[in-house]
Amino acid sequence: MLTFPAYRELAASLAQALGCELDQVDVHRFPDGESLVTVPPSRPGTLVVVCGLENPNDKLVELYLALGAARDNGAERLVLVAPYLCYMRQDKAFEPGQAVSQRLIGEMLSGWVDDLITVDPHLHRTPTLDAALPHCRSTAVSAAPLLGRFLQQREDGALLMGPDEESRQWVEAVASHCGLETAVATKARSGDRAVRITLPDRDYRDRSVILVDDVISSGHTLAEAATALHERGGGPIHALCSHALFAPGAERLLQQAGIDGVWSSNAIPHPTNRVDLTPSLAEAVRRMVSPDA
Ligand code: R5P
């Protein structure tokens, strides 16, 4: 197994679960911003590469160089574990001339590897991960079983709420593993940091609510949902997500909106990580690499 320094912790835990050795890519940044990427010698056969793709623009180039170097060094089959898969949200041209990044990045990335494993990819209008990654085999691991098990330890009968229709799939999946009641709000977005949330009509007074979404990016979606819930007397309010993207200022925004705590999976390394995805990812790698075992 091979990883980049930022994913060392998750990769070490995965390598231990799978009983394989872990090596690290060395990245040197030249003064002009280009990268020198060096990989240790590979044994022939399958190489599992662990590299998340949040903040992806530089990372994509360094990953491409590392994968190419690994092939040059003898790796025969490359399995990429990218717990966060970038550029999946732009799945159509909303305005004329916009790049459909899901299709373009998906075509590019899936041409670099033989297999790709990710967690809760943001597929809304695209039916399957295979459709977004046409040139390799792919598996979408669901964080829901482990997120749901994490919530099972709570005994306050909280309401699981999705902030928008796109989150329905995540809310229902988590609920199916913890048995909590669910509700889904509606969202109108008018800009990167401008959203309006309308809550379904019900009594929220003194109701503990856990907001569930696949990603928290600017934090505005969940902050608006929390504000709306407080206005209706709801609380305490927590947030649960698969991918803690957390753009600058997001944590503060969530605090200011009265969110009492955020819990995330370790698909993206972040101080809010509470749910370790190692068991589900290790199982996915095992099935991918030796489907008959
Ligand atoms: C969109 O449909 C996603 O599921 C999230 O709700 C959204 O991307 C979160 O973004 P932000 O935190 O910037 O509001």
Side-chain angles (χ1 to χ4, degrees), residues 89 122 164 166 187 189 213-215 217-221:
R89 281 176 285 173
H122 190 96
D164 55 22
E166 291 177 46
K187 176 168 85 178
R189 185 182 278 285
D213 212 347
D214 59 337
V215 308
S217 178
S218 72
H220 281 269
T221 297

Side-chain angles (χ1 to χ4, degrees), residues 83-282:
Y84 179 70
L85 188 57
C86 57
Y87 283 112
M88 290 295 112
R89 281 176 285 173
Q90 179 82 16
D91 60 2
K92 68 174 204 174
F94 296 91
E95 302 286 344
Q98 284 182 347
V100 182
S101 46
Q102 184 189 88
R103 177 173 56 79
L104 295 166
I105 298 288
E107 280 182 357
M108 178 182 81
L109 254 182
S110 62
W112 295 353
V113 293
D114 300 280
D115 312 86
L116 193 151
I117 295 168
T118 189
V119 176
D120 292 345
H122 190 96
L123 299 175
H124 180 47
R125 280 161 283 253
T126 310
T128 61
L129 184 59
D130 286 347
L133 299 172
H135 305 306
C136 69
R137 283 174 296 268
S138 58
T139 298
V141 169
S142 170
L146 292 167
L147 293 176
R149 225 166 288 157
F150 170 76
L151 292 185
Q152 259 177 348
Q153 295 149 11
R154 295 177 58 87
E155 288 167 6
D156 60 359
L159 174 68
L160 291 190
M161 170 162 286
D164 55 22
E165 201 43 48
E166 291 177 46
S167 66
R168 183 180 292 278
Q169 57 175 310
W170 320 115
V171 180
E172 289 179 354
V174 172
S176 74
H177 291 278
C178 63
L180 291 173
E181 192 189 352
T182 63
V184 177
T186 47
K187 176 168 85 178
R189 185 182 278 285
S190 51
D192 287 347
R193 292 168 197 274
V195 297
R196 249 184 85 81
I197 300 285
T198 308
L199 299 177
D201 212 12
R202 57 183 297 154
D203 185 5
Y204 294 100
R205 277 172 299 170
D206 300 322
R207 185 77 197 263
S208 170
V209 180
I210 300 168
L211 294 165
V212 180
D213 212 347
D214 59 337
V215 308
I216 300 176
S217 178
S218 72
H220 281 269
T221 297
L222 295 195
E224 286 300 318
T227 302
L229 284 163
H230 280 304
E231 281 168 6
R232 304 272 289 271
I237 299 172
H238 290 83
L240 178 77
C241 69
S242 304
H243 301 293
L245 284 171
F246 280 87
E251 263 176 298
R252 202 174 145 75
L253 192 72
L254 297 178
Q255 271 168 13
Q256 284 169 345
I259 293 185
D260 297 288
V262 181
W263 307 310
S264 62
S265 87
N266 61 348
I268 294 178
H270 191 266
T272 57
N273 289 170
R274 294 291 179 279
V275 178
D276 178 17
L277 298 180
T278 300
S280 301
L281 284 170

Side-chain angles (χ1 to χ4, degrees), residues 10-82:
L10 178 60
S13 160
L14 259 180
Q16 192 182 19
L18 293 164
C20 60
E21 281 173 29
L22 177 64
D23 287 321
Q24 195 163 296
V25 178
D26 182 72
V27 180
H28 170 76
R29 281 280 169 92
F30 290 113
D32 57 14
E34 293 183 4
S35 302
L36 174 65
V37 169
T38 310
V39 302
S42 308
R43 271 174 250 107
T46 300
L47 180 68
V48 178
V49 179
V50 180
C51 180
L53 288 171
E54 66 283 1
N55 297 318
N57 293 358
D58 287 343
K59 234 177 257 172
L60 282 170
V61 173
E62 287 164 0
L63 175 63
Y64 177 71
L65 295 173
L67 294 170
R71 281 218 203 267
D72 290 345
N73 274 290
E76 288 162 339
R77 177 180 175 189
L78 292 174
V79 179
L80 175 62
V81 178

